[in-house]
Amino acid sequence: MNPSLSAEHRRLAALQATGLLDTPPSEEFDRITRLACQLFGVPIALVSLVDADRQWFKSRVGLAVPETCREDAFCDHTIRTTQVMVIEDTLEDPRFAQNALVQGEPRIRFYAGAPLVLRGGHALGSLCLIDTAPRPFGIAQQRQLEDLAAMVMAQIDLQCSNARVDEATLLPNRAQLLQDLVGLCRAEPGGHRVLALLELLPHDGLMDAIRAVGMQPVEQLTYEAGQRLAQFLGSESRIYHTSIARIALVLQPQEGDALRDFAGQLLGTFLTPLSDGSSGMVINQRRRVGLAPFTLEPADAIDALRRANAALYQHPSPDTAICDYDAAVDANYRRSYELIASVPRALSAGEFRLVYQPQFERATTRYTSVEALLRWDHPQLGPVPPGDFIPLLEKTVHIQAVTRWVLETALAQIRAWEDAGLVVDVAINVSPRNLEQPDFAATLREACARHRLAPSRLEIECTENAVLTDGPTLQGINAARALGVRVALDDFGTGYCNFGCLYGLSAEVLKLDQALIRPIGCDARALDVVRGMVQLGHTLGYRLLAEGVENAEVFDQLMLIGCD
């Protein structure tokens, strides 16, 4: 397609989308044209919208006719520029000297027009001034005319908002989708539909594109995608632009695999990469569609967009193109979100508690330390397994407050036991996000001092990712060690840590994961692996701690091979 014709097609679509053409007069616009006549002392002021073959006047002062043909329209020239167009004497301008509106009524001798441009770059028409006598029009007056044109655009923006149309893509927006869903509920209560949410760019690719070329090319690509879908669907479904690079459709439910087949056809419309045609940006990355069935009841219908969005993220493989909504996965995710949102309340309400797992020292044959383990007794959900909430905590800022609570509570318990005659040390788990805090070591020092305990009585347990990472995390570990706090590498033997890493770990203790320990009572090869790890660890100067010792056979084997 000729690029100029394509641009004009988009401009006309933008004009239609405003819903302004052939609407009754509006005082909001008429007030501006009256002000323009008074301010500039001209007999005619117009808000002109340039349609395919005419210019139509949304507001007019001093002109009897509601429209003129586009061929004669001065404003057709104005929309091709981004600045005020001024013709101080039309008879002196070869473009207009023979124009029908110059030679005949209203006998234009002076024209000044400021283009009316949507944020998406589409020019709709102009705010123009007309006089029957030539006149000068200086820079200051041009700026004043631009200010009035901005006032016109503010009114047009309001009209677009009321029309619920996305300005950049010219598609009905999310508000219109929700309104249409409510209308469907009224028209067919209890019926069934499927909301399909098409993701044109994965989130990381979208952010990269916006960072590189800005929002406008992405919006243009979304517009092109909407045009392709419109050609494919015809009148079968309305297309909505719900968010950046996402398009939604409301579909009829279908039996068996028919819906997935249709979704595949939707994605097939994008086998040819999308291009915005100007910046050179091309979308040829993976596209996905989330499918969420819903019932035509208001609450369920309004939630359909959220569920279709959830479907896009429920599948473990990012290469899954057709993503069906899974209610069970969604329920678990929402439960997780609810848990994290309630952490501040749980801290203040005393819902967290610590249990203590004893550590037995082979050399002295006594319990010398305990590991503080966090538990959560939720008032509605009951006991929450640590595996359900701790990984979530580590992704949020709440991990800081929870770790401080664990530290203070554990040290207070150690102090109380010591005052009662039981002397043991304590280990707590810390997250890389804790270690990254500049005041982490100071927090440990002050907490130990507050509870009258030497820092050497405290051990912090870190995952291998924390111990092996350079930067603030490793600096936090080294600062803690400088205080005298011991450092243990948790879950050793189950991740990516290899023997080559053992030469310089910032840790004193290697904790052998329970997955390695539990089989050694009945599996000779498992025992050989653990024996080798213990011997190597000792050679390199580490103490070895075994997790998951739950029967006499495993205990005896560990005693024999010399695990600390």
Side-chain angles (χ1 to χ4, degrees):
M1 179 183 288
N2 185 313
S4 62
L5 293 179
S6 177
E8 174 63 5
H9 175 75
R10 293 194 295 271
R11 189 195 71 80
L12 289 173
L15 176 59
Q16 292 291 334
T18 64
L20 287 171
L21 286 172
D22 300 308
T23 54
S26 169
E27 177 61 21
E28 289 79 9
F29 290 96
D30 291 347
R31 185 180 295 117
I32 298 172
T33 49
R34 289 197 301 268
L35 177 61
C37 286
Q38 296 168 6
L39 179 62
F40 296 106
V42 295
I44 300 172
L46 308 168
V47 173
S48 169
L49 303 178
V50 181
D51 200 359
D53 55 5
R54 60 172 179 157
Q55 67 168 346
W56 179 81
F57 307 123
K58 174 59 183 172
S59 178
R60 51 195 166 95
V61 172
L63 190 67
V65 296
E67 62 182 54
T68 66
C69 70
R70 180 172 178 175
E71 182 181 357
D72 296 330
F74 282 57
C75 295
D76 188 36
H77 295 263
T78 303
I79 63 173
R80 305 172 197 273
T81 181
T82 59
Q83 300 175 333
V84 175
M85 187 179 84
V86 179
I87 299 99
E88 294 185 343
D89 188 344
T90 57
L91 295 181
E92 299 295 327
D93 191 317
R95 294 174 298 172
F96 302 106
Q98 301 303 316
N99 187 286
L101 300 177
V102 174
Q103 296 298 321
E105 294 297 330
R107 300 196 178 280
I108 300 173
R109 289 293 301 277
F110 164 81
Y111 171 91
L116 303 174
V117 184
L118 292 167
R119 287 191 297 271
H122 303 294
L124 305 178
S126 74
L127 171 64
C128 63
L129 310 174
I130 292 174
D131 202 344
T132 55
R135 57 187 298 168
F137 201 71
I139 297 298
Q141 291 173 304
Q142 292 178 37
R143 299 292 82 81
Q144 290 175 320
L145 184 58
E146 287 177 339
D147 289 342
L148 289 180
M151 295 170 63
V152 174
M153 284 309 308
Q155 291 300 322
I156 292 176
D157 286 342
L158 286 175
Q159 293 282 340
C160 288
S161 298
N162 291 335
R164 301 183 188 275
V165 171
D166 181 82
E167 179 189 301
T169 62
L170 311 178
L171 295 172
N173 59 20
R174 183 170 62 249
Q176 185 63 56
L177 169 62
L178 297 178
Q179 184 181 38
D180 288 351
L181 290 175
V182 172
L184 278 172
C185 292
R186 288 196 300 265
E188 192 183 330
H192 297 279
R193 294 289 190 278
V194 176
L195 187 70
L197 183 62
L198 182 66
E199 182 183 66
L200 300 173
L201 271 172
H203 181 73
D204 52 353
L206 174 62
M207 293 301 103
D208 289 344
I210 293 174
R211 180 180 176 185
V213 299
M215 187 71 75
Q216 196 277 330
V218 175
E219 291 176 333
Q220 181 57 40
L221 288 164
T222 308
Y223 167 82
E224 295 292 346
Q227 294 299 302
R228 284 197 195 179
L229 285 176
Q231 291 176 2
F232 171 72
L233 293 168
S235 59
E236 189 169 337
S237 177
R238 197 172 187 185
I239 304 166
Y240 303 87
H241 181 202
T242 58
S243 60
I244 302 172
R246 286 193 176 177
I247 293 174
L249 308 91
V250 180
L251 305 175
Q252 292 283 351
Q254 300 182 49
E255 297 294 332
D257 293 330
L259 180 61
R260 291 179 61 84
D261 291 342
F262 184 75
Q265 294 173 32
L266 286 177
L267 294 174
T269 62
F270 302 106
L271 289 177
T272 303
L274 290 164
S275 173
D276 75 334
S278 58
S279 72
M281 177 183 171
V282 175
I283 288 184
N284 56 5
Q285 302 185 49
R286 60 176 172 83
R287 283 166 291 279
R288 302 182 299 166
V289 60
L291 301 175
F294 64 97
T295 303
L296 292 179
E297 297 173 353
D300 200 51
I302 294 302
D303 192 46
L305 183 57
R306 183 199 64 79
R307 296 202 299 269
N309 182 73
L312 291 171
Y313 293 97
Q314 288 179 344
H315 294 266
S317 171
D319 295 325
T320 302
I322 301 173
C323 308
D324 295 300
Y325 172 75
D326 188 319
V329 173
D330 189 32
N332 286 335
Y333 184 84
R334 298 185 80 182
R335 176 178 180 270
S336 298
Y337 190 87
E338 179 186 347
L339 283 174
I340 290 303
S342 61
V343 165
R345 187 215 66 231
L347 279 171
S348 61
E351 296 172 18
F352 290 112
R353 60 186 174 89
L354 295 182
V355 297
Y356 298 90
Q357 178 171 272
Q359 295 180 1
F360 180 84
E361 187 176 62
R362 175 180 176 275
T364 61
T365 64
R366 66 185 183 88
Y367 294 103
T368 58
S369 184
V370 294
E371 180 182 359
L373 301 173
L374 184 62
R375 298 294 184 264
W376 186 356
D377 298 319
H378 195 282
Q380 284 80 43
L381 302 175
V384 182
D388 285 4
F389 71 89
I390 290 178
L392 299 173
L393 270 177
E394 292 182 331
K395 298 177 182 178
T396 72
V397 296
H398 296 322
I399 190 65
Q400 311 298 345
V402 171
T403 300
R404 284 194 297 270
W405 181 88
V406 170
L407 175 66
E408 293 289 343
T409 305
L411 292 179
Q413 181 63 74
I414 297 303
R415 178 74 266 162
W417 280 336
E418 183 166 322
D419 291 344
L422 175 64
V423 180
V424 290
D425 297 342
V426 67
I428 66 169
N429 291 276
V430 298
S431 162
R433 296 194 67 167
N434 299 131
L435 298 169
E436 292 169 358
Q437 296 299 304
D439 60 348
F440 177 69
T443 299
L444 299 181
R445 182 182 65 249
E446 292 164 5
C448 289
R450 192 159 39 250
H451 295 284
R452 296 177 289 117
L453 294 168
S456 59
R457 302 285 300 281
L458 175 65
E459 179 175 284
I460 58 174
E461 297 187 2
C462 315
T463 62
E464 63 187 39
N465 287 339
V467 176
L468 296 175
T469 301
D470 290 330
T473 302
L474 187 58
Q475 292 170 14
I477 290 174
N478 290 333
R481 295 184 70 193
L483 289 176
V485 173
R486 300 191 306 278
V487 176
L489 177 60
D490 203 4
D491 301 331
F492 181 74
T494 61
Y496 299 102
C497 197
N498 57 54
F499 291 128
C501 298
L502 294 176
Y503 289 113
L505 289 177
S506 292
E508 291 85 10
V509 178
L510 303 182
K511 292 186 67 177
L512 299 176
D513 189 77
Q514 57 187 329
L516 296 172
I517 299 302
R518 285 177 174 167
I520 68 173
C522 58
D523 187 331
R525 296 191 65 184
L527 178 61
D528 288 340
V529 170
V530 173
R531 180 187 290 111
M533 296 178 77
V534 169
Q535 291 172 352
L536 179 61
H538 284 164
T539 300
L540 295 174
Y542 297 106
R543 287 168 55 82
L544 277 297
L545 173 62
E547 291 186 304
V549 183
E550 297 180 353
N551 58 60
E553 290 81 9
V554 171
F555 178 84
D556 291 340
Q557 293 286 10
L558 290 168
M559 292 291 284
L560 285 173
I561 65 176
C563 184
D564 300 293

